[in-house]
């Protein structure tokens, strides 16, 4: 007898779900996953190679379970922004997605609810589901002068209605690129008295001058957590290192759910080497910002409707059919992201040459794929 099928054995709440996966295609210009288009500088490559060589002979031993030196280095980096952060406040994992998973394992689960304000980072809801936590879609504004905005009144009303245990706030938001006012974070924190408030700041280094970080709200608010990543501004997507800053009680709670020795010795070594060269790794941030703003300006000139962005990407509206436009751009060797928002495509700000290739391709397809109302 063959017994039950795998589909029948799968958890009921996971049946019918689709795995996360942005297309990984070989194209001349890949601008779909918000990676940093610039390679790791040679001086940092040399430091990484030396760091791995140093730890390689001791790979017969488990790594530092508490990744102490790495937490100290991350705390030092965060403190450069003007808000003192201690190593006891820092947690890290294999990418920010694993950090989010730890948070949901600790504070979500069966019988608990998490919510976010969509459109936002799709992995918030996916990871929520995989931990057996109920997900609630909060809503953002539609249209108007500030599309996809989230104001205090709307956020507080929705939080009070659903009484979540975990709330996700994304700033700058993915896929819209919009930054969130700290008044919204404070108001949600005060309204959701029984919730952990997770402020996802994966793209914070790209924010325009004067955009405040939720790190400034941590003191006296032990339920606020700020998550970051080295994948974007640090050009470290392949290194898989995400982290957070929070009250030490939060990091203590995460020790209950992390797997033993979850950060390998090579991962810790290369992350430390990279952080020691933070200025070199962040040298491309300004030029990426310039290309982001160039995309906003030029797509608007072409008759589209870009959303002003504080991230390293731009959500461009005004397509008659976003799926058809995505395919038309792909035929010209330019891969962007279709997030499922009608009439919108998201494009990463790459190198000047990549931006030019995107804009040239968009200019060619614009007459056939632009909404008449935006022309």
């Amino acid at each position: 007898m063959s017994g039950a099928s795998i589909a029948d054995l799968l958890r009921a709440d996971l049946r019918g779900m689709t795995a996360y996966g942005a297309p990984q295609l070989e194209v001349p210009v890949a601008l779909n996953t918000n990676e940093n288009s610039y390679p790791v500088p040679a001086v940092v490559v040399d430091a990484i190679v030396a760091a791995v060589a140093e730890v390689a002979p001791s790979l017969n031993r488990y790594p530092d379970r508490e990744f102490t030196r790495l937490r100290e280095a991350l705390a030092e980096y965060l403190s450069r922004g003007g808000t003192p952060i201690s190593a006891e406040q820092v947690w890290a994992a294999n990418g920010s997605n694993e950090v989010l998973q730890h948070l949901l394992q600790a504070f979500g689960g069966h019988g608990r609810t998490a919510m976010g304000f969509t459109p936002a980072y799709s992995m918030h809801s996916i990871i929520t589901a995989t931990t057996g936590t109920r997900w609630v879609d909060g809503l953002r504004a539609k249209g108007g002068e500030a599309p996809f905005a989230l104001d205090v009144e709307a956020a507080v009303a929705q939080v009070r209605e659903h009484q979540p245990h975990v709330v996700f706030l994304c700033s700058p938001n993915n896929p819209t690129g919009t930054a969130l006012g700290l008044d919204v974070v404070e108001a949600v924190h005060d309204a959701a008295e029984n919730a952990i408030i997770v402020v996802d700041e994966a793209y914070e280094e790209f924010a325009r001058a004067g955009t405040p970080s939720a790190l400034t709200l941590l003191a006296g608010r032990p339920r606020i957590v700020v998550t970051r990543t080295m994948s974007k501004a640090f050009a470290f997507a392949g290194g898989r290192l995400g982290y957070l800053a929070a009250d030490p009680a939060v990091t203590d709670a995460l020790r209950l759910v992390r797997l033993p020795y979850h950060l390998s010795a090579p991962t810790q070594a290369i992350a430390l080497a990279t952080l020691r060269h933070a200025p070199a790794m962040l040298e491309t941030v300004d030029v990426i910002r310039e290309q982001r703003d160039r995309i906003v300006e030029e797509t608007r000139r072409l008759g589209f409707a870009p959303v002003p962005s504080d991230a390293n990407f731009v959500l461009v509206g005004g397509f008659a059919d976003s799926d058809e436009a995505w395919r038309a751009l792909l035929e010209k060797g330019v891969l962007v992201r279709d997030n499922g928002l009608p009439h919108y495509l998201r494009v990463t700000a790459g190198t000047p040459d990549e931006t030019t290739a995107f804009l040239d391709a968009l200019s060619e397809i614009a007459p056939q794929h632009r909404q008449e109302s935006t022309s």
Side-chain angles (χ1 to χ4, degrees):
M1 296 179 64
S2 61
S5 69
I6 297 301
D8 290 334
L9 294 174
L10 185 66
R11 275 171 34 196
D13 58 322
L14 295 181
R15 295 172 192 168
M17 289 183 63
T18 301
Y20 173 89
Q24 289 186 305
L25 306 176
E26 291 293 331
V27 294
V29 182
L31 300 174
N32 69 320
T33 54
N34 300 338
E35 296 161 316
N36 189 316
S37 291
Y38 293 88
V40 176
V43 64
V44 187
V45 171
D46 292 342
I48 287 173
V49 171
V52 173
E54 183 178 345
V55 301
S58 61
L59 290 180
N60 59 309
R61 302 294 185 184
Y62 287 114
D64 175 13
R65 184 176 58 243
E66 295 301 314
F67 47 100
T68 305
R69 292 174 59 204
L70 179 56
R71 286 191 293 113
E72 291 171 347
L74 288 167
E76 179 185 355
Y77 169 70
L78 289 175
S79 297
R80 294 176 191 175
T83 301
I85 301 293
S86 69
E88 290 73 26
Q89 292 178 267
V90 173
W91 188 254
N94 297 284
S96 60
N97 287 330
E98 187 175 56
V99 171
L100 298 174
Q101 183 182 58
H102 286 170
L103 287 166
L104 283 159
Q105 286 175 314
F107 300 105
H110 180 69
R112 295 194 170 196
T113 298
M115 74 176 296
F117 298 91
T118 55
Y121 183 40
S122 62
M123 285 303 297
H124 291 162
S125 60
I126 293 172
I127 297 173
T128 293
T130 63
T131 60
T133 310
R134 175 175 172 262
W135 174 259
V136 172
D137 262 326
L139 300 177
R140 293 173 176 267
K142 293 183 178 179
E145 294 183 1
F148 308 111
L150 180 64
D151 62 36
V152 169
E153 184 177 350
V156 167
Q158 293 179 78
V159 166
R160 286 177 174 164
E161 176 185 357
H162 296 289
Q163 294 294 306
H165 300 88
V166 180
V167 179
F168 289 102
L169 299 171
C170 204
S171 183
N173 185 50
N174 178 13
T176 66
T178 47
L180 196 63
L182 293 187
D183 57 336
V184 178
V185 180
E186 290 182 271
V188 168
H189 170 269
D190 293 345
E193 297 180 356
N194 298 308
I196 293 290
I197 313 301
V198 181
V199 186
D200 187 333
E201 292 190 344
Y203 300 93
E204 193 277 339
E205 285 93 346
F206 298 105
R208 285 170 284 189
T211 303
S213 166
L215 290 174
T216 61
L217 300 179
L218 292 180
R221 297 181 180 89
R223 293 185 293 106
I224 291 182
V225 175
V226 179
T227 62
R228 296 281 187 92
T229 183
M230 292 181 67
S231 293
K232 310 302 181 183
F234 270 88
F236 201 67
R240 309 309 301 131
L241 201 291
Y243 58 104
L244 63 73
D247 189 271
V250 172
T251 59
D252 279 344
L254 301 185
R255 287 180 171 87
L256 301 175
V257 297
R258 60 99 178 265
L259 294 176
Y261 314 106
H262 71 290
L263 281 176
S264 72
T267 295
Q268 294 183 44
I270 64 175
L272 277 165
T274 303
L275 285 164
R276 282 194 290 268
H277 291 81
M281 294 299 287
L282 297 173
E283 280 182 352
T284 61
V285 167
D286 284 342
V287 68
I288 291 171
R289 286 194 190 113
E290 291 172 2
Q291 297 310 304
R292 172 198 67 199
D293 295 341
R294 178 186 171 201
I295 291 169
V296 171
E297 180 181 346
E298 291 300 312
T299 56
R300 185 179 290 122
R301 185 183 62 79
L302 289 170
F304 292 91
V307 179
S309 175
D310 276 283
N312 69 334
F313 57 84
V314 180
L315 186 67
V316 181
F319 293 96
D321 184 304
S322 51
D323 180 65
E324 290 184 3
W326 179 86
R327 295 179 186 281
L329 288 169
L330 184 61
E331 288 177 1
K332 295 186 176 297
V334 179
L335 178 62
V336 298
R337 187 68 179 271
D338 184 351
N339 289 95
L341 292 173
H343 310 298
Y344 284 90
L345 292 173
R346 192 193 71 192
V347 54
T348 305
T351 65
D353 286 346
E354 289 174 333
T355 301
T356 296
F358 162 70
L359 291 171
D360 287 348
L362 183 65
S363 179
E364 291 180 28
I365 73 164
Q368 295 79 35
H369 295 279
R370 183 175 50 213
Q371 276 183 307
E372 290 299 323
S373 60
T374 62
S375 59

